[in-house]
Amino acid sequence: MGLILITDDAAFSRRMIKKAIQQSGHETLEAANGLECLDLLANTTPDCIISDLLMPEMDGFGLLKELRDRGSKIPVIVLTADIQDSARQHCESLGAFMLLKKPPKAPEIIEAVTQALSIKTN
């Protein structure tokens, strides 16, 4: 089981994702934007980050860039309603592990987290 950091400015989305992840046996932390996520990373190392793309203060692109600049190896699953090729390519160039269309279904989240945790342990 892993520790999953959910980063999304929408509390409802965080609750839905948290519920699915906890039902699959993982622990969760929550952040409302990229800056809060980075603050949490100062004191803990999650096994996976799930991040919205559009957020106030620091968006998902900014978070991915900061994680890449810090040399982070934590897999990041990006959630976005903007699934255009340009957004996907930008996320991938910044090191995103996977993109999921928002709102994700519980089985999609669980499968994505399982894949992210498997690459982390291999």
Side-chain angles (χ1 to χ4, degrees):
M1 296 297 116
L3 177 61
I4 314 303
L5 175 50
I6 304 163
T7 305
D8 194 318
D9 59 323
F12 178 77
S13 292
R14 288 196 312 267
R15 278 195 305 271
M16 297 304 291
I17 295 165
K18 178 180 175 180
K19 182 178 175 184
I21 289 172
Q22 287 182 336
Q23 286 178 343
S24 64
H26 301 291
E27 295 181 37
T28 60
L29 293 171
E30 295 181 49
N33 60 57
L35 288 178
E36 283 188 20
C37 179
L38 292 174
D39 285 346
L40 287 172
L41 293 176
N43 297 315
T44 189
T45 305
D47 298 297
C48 176
I49 296 171
I50 297 174
S51 179
D52 189 14
L53 199 53
L54 300 177
M55 299 178 286
E57 298 189 45
M58 177 183 279
D59 63 13
F61 293 121
L63 176 61
L64 285 168
K65 182 180 181 315
E66 187 64 29
L67 291 171
R68 183 190 66 187
D69 291 350
R70 293 180 181 193
S72 173
K73 301 294 183 199
I74 302 168
V76 180
I77 299 167
V78 175
L79 303 177
T80 181
D82 180 6
I83 203 80
Q84 296 180 12
D85 285 345
S86 59
R88 176 179 296 279
Q89 290 169 355
H90 191 191
C91 288
E92 289 172 352
S93 73
L94 293 171
F97 171 71
M98 181 184 295
L99 269 75
L100 292 177
K101 187 174 180 180
K102 202 173 177 181
K105 295 179 178 146
E108 293 174 319
I109 287 287
I110 293 166
E111 177 60 27
V113 167
T114 300
Q115 288 183 30
L117 296 181
S118 73
I119 65 153
K120 192 167 191 285
T121 57
N122 290 330

